[in-house]
Amino acid sequence: MKAIVKRMICAGLLLFALFSLEESFGQNGNDNFLTVTGIVKDSKTDGPVVFASVSVPGTDIGTVTNSEGEFTLKISKALKADVFEISHLSYLNKQFKIDESLGKRGVFYLDQHVVQLSSITIRPLDAREIVDAALKTIKKNYSEKPNMMTGFYRESIRQRRDYLSIAEAVVDIYKAPYTSYLNDQVRVFKGRTGSNVKKADTLMVQLQGGPHVTMLLDIMKNTDLSIALDNLDNYQFEIESIVNINDRPNYVIGFKPNVVKPEPLYNGKLYIDLDNLAVTMADFSLDLSDPEKASSLFIRKKPAGLIFDPTSTNYLVTYKNQNGKYYLNYVRIELKFKCDWKRKWFKKDYTVTSEMAITNRHEDNIVKFANQEQFRDNMIFAEKVKAFGDNDFWGDNNIIQPEESIENAIRKIAKSLKK
């Protein structure tokens, strides 16, 4: 099995260096755009709603809230849009007026949606049959045409609470048809990066594959990768509940390993629309019951004597329904691990996070990228993105709002480099 984690590589290298902050992470404004900024909260609990979709109805423009529920949405005035919409798992979709949300940091509340089972027709199928039927409807539910997408990609590496590296970019994506064997392609359009490897550190962690890897996590396009849905015998499936996604009821299908294989499998949940059987979301993690087997999938290169111990992983993939077809919407990967040296007092916790939000899409003038333009799975994003800097570019583009911890890290990195 071509497991996605084989492409999700952490390379430990001995390095004594201080890297420069390539560019400011500030945003420049533009009079051609309207900007809505705020936080999405649960109307009952007042807690933040994380990874919610924020978009302009009838368009392909959108973003997602960060892990603190915050977002910034930039809307071209040429669209003459009146409202924007927020949606999330188990909440009712809700629209808000754009003109009433400008010039302030708003708080936008979503109401929980309780699914009434009595009004839903439950299919007389077991969980595995539902997943199998969902795979057979890919041609009907997902695009058979190539698409051009714009995505915002960010990755960060953290040692405990200290950020060692932050890099982000607006990327162009050639999205191959879901019914073809053609591969998706990614190229970096504009990017920026900052790193701060402390002098006391002797270990540098790098993430290989960048935005190319996030596209491989499209489980409905790459059914032979990631959780390997091309072989359902690998898993036990169970219907756990029914929830609402975008005002539509979805089965929650839990899955766990059913066999023991040379490579680790996954535990997780698939969210499948009751009516059309489209997979709308997947949330899963690597089975770490055999740490040695799991760790072998992540490491491409490390110093002799270094012990790598993965402690948790999480993968999230969401899709968006537009005009009856589903398209990739958001991908997030989080890996946590410990590094230790044999016979030495050295043990540190690391967190590697990468995420991509699709912020625009069109089906006109679709052209594949030249070979030299494509971002490959053997490339280090934080290194390659340095060649694509442009401080004047960022004001008009939808990005994932930085979390407070990232913003603080950026300021610390910039301050330390001025000394």
Side-chain angles (χ1 to χ4, degrees):
M1 181 181 72
K2 298 178 181 178
I4 192 67
V5 288
K6 290 184 179 178
R7 300 174 183 266
M8 197 64 196
I9 302 162
C10 298
L13 302 175
L14 288 175
L15 193 71
F16 298 88
L18 182 65
F19 290 81
S20 63
L21 184 65
E22 288 294 314
E23 305 188 31
S24 166
F25 279 67
Q27 301 278 321
N28 296 319
N30 189 307
D31 291 338
N32 296 323
F33 287 79
L34 301 173
T35 302
V36 178
T37 301
I39 182 170
V40 181
K41 290 188 174 184
D42 184 301
S43 61
K44 287 187 176 180
T45 67
D46 203 44
V49 179
V50 303
F51 311 141
S53 294
V54 185
S55 61
V56 179
T59 76
D60 301 302
I61 296 172
T63 185
V64 296
T65 61
N66 64 16
S67 63
E68 296 166 345
E70 299 171 333
F71 74 94
T72 296
L73 180 67
K74 297 181 180 180
I75 308 162
S76 172
K77 290 182 179 178
L79 290 176
K80 298 181 179 179
D82 297 321
V83 298
F84 66 97
E85 184 175 70
I86 304 176
S87 61
H88 192 274
L89 169 68
S90 294
Y91 290 90
L92 289 168
N93 292 11
K94 193 169 183 180
Q95 293 187 351
F96 300 88
K97 291 185 177 181
I98 294 173
D99 58 359
E100 294 178 359
S101 307
L102 301 175
K104 58 184 178 181
R105 184 178 182 274
V107 180
F108 304 94
Y109 288 98
L110 295 185
D111 299 320
Q112 296 180 13
H113 186 353
V114 178
V115 177
Q116 300 295 327
L117 294 179
S118 59
S119 64
I120 295 173
T121 301
I122 305 297
R123 296 173 183 267
L125 302 173
D126 66 21
R128 178 186 168 121
E129 288 176 326
I130 293 172
V131 176
D132 185 52
L135 294 173
K136 291 177 179 176
T137 63
I138 289 177
K139 183 176 181 179
K140 180 186 73 174
N141 287 323
Y142 301 86
S143 179
E144 297 180 75
K145 299 179 181 179
N147 284 253
M148 293 299 296
M149 293 179 167
T150 301
F152 175 77
Y153 175 81
R154 176 185 289 136
E155 68 178 37
S156 64
I157 299 174
R158 195 168 75 239
Q159 179 192 303
R160 295 178 183 170
R161 295 184 178 180
D162 296 322
Y163 280 85
L164 303 184
S165 175
I166 304 166
E168 59 186 18
V170 171
V171 298
D172 297 322
I173 301 164
Y174 167 82
K175 195 73 178 72
Y178 278 79
T179 53
S180 79
Y181 291 100
L182 296 174
N183 295 322
D184 298 334
Q185 299 176 351
V186 181
R187 68 181 178 190
V188 177
F189 184 56
K190 297 290 183 181
R192 50 194 177 182
T193 183
S195 302
N196 183 29
V197 179
K198 296 181 292 184
K199 294 180 181 179
D201 286 342
T202 58
L203 182 69
M204 180 183 178
V205 178
Q206 291 181 312
L207 183 64
Q208 184 172 313
H212 177 88
V213 167
T214 62
M215 296 307 298
L216 293 176
L217 272 168
D218 184 346
I219 63 170
M220 303 311 290
K221 176 70 172 70
N222 304 300
T223 55
D224 59 328
L225 298 177
S226 187
I227 54 179
L229 289 177
D230 59 331
N231 187 354
L232 298 185
D233 290 337
N234 288 331
Y235 295 103
Q236 298 177 30
F237 298 93
E238 179 184 1
I239 300 177
E240 296 187 354
S241 63
I242 294 176
V243 298
N244 177 76
I245 299 179
N246 290 328
D247 297 335
R248 296 175 63 91
N250 279 242
Y251 291 110
V252 181
I253 307 291
F255 62 90
K256 61 183 179 180
N258 190 43
V259 296
V260 177
K261 306 193 74 171
E263 68 279 353
L265 296 173
Y266 293 83
N267 299 281
K269 303 178 190 296
L270 297 174
Y271 296 78
I272 300 178
D273 188 288
L274 264 71
D275 181 38
N276 58 32
L277 293 179
V279 174
T280 60
M281 186 169 78
D283 188 356
F284 53 98
S285 59
L286 189 68
D287 180 10
L288 300 178
S289 58
D290 187 335
E292 184 175 350
K293 184 165 63 174
S295 65
S296 66
L297 295 178
F298 291 98
I299 296 295
R300 173 59 60 90
K301 183 179 180 181
K302 70 179 181 68
L306 180 69
I307 300 172
F308 173 87
D309 183 20
T311 56
S312 72
T313 71
N314 182 254
Y315 305 85
L316 176 66
V317 185
T318 71
Y319 296 88
K320 183 178 181 180
N321 188 338
Q322 294 177 304
N323 301 319
K325 293 289 185 179
Y326 287 81
Y327 302 90
L328 188 67
N329 179 59
Y330 178 66
V331 180
R332 180 180 172 87
I333 303 168
E334 184 178 82
L335 309 175
K336 294 185 178 181
F337 56 92
K338 295 180 183 291
C339 287
D340 196 2
W341 290 98
K342 293 180 180 178
R343 300 183 297 276
K344 292 185 179 180
W345 287 100
F346 177 97
K347 193 169 187 176
K348 292 187 177 180
D349 299 315
Y350 291 88
T351 301
V352 176
T353 304
S354 62
E355 59 184 337
M356 181 188 288
I358 303 302
T359 59
N360 211 336
R361 181 187 65 83
H362 67 84
E363 298 178 357
D364 303 321
N365 302 318
I366 309 300
V367 180
K368 293 182 181 179
F369 306 143
N371 287 336
Q372 64 271 21
E373 294 181 310
Q374 297 180 38
F375 193 93
R376 303 290 185 178
D377 59 359
N378 62 348
M379 293 179 176
I380 306 298
F381 176 75
E383 294 179 352
K384 291 292 183 180
V385 77
K386 296 176 182 179
F388 296 90
D390 183 353
N391 274 345
D392 296 328
F393 166 77
W394 295 88
D396 300 346
N397 290 270
N398 280 304
I399 70 168
I400 303 171
Q401 185 73 9
E403 301 160 5
E404 182 179 359
S405 57
I406 291 180
E407 291 181 332
N408 290 338
I410 292 167
R411 286 193 288 268
K412 289 179 180 179
I413 291 171
K415 184 177 179 180
S416 68
L417 295 169
K418 292 178 181 179
K419 295 181 179 180

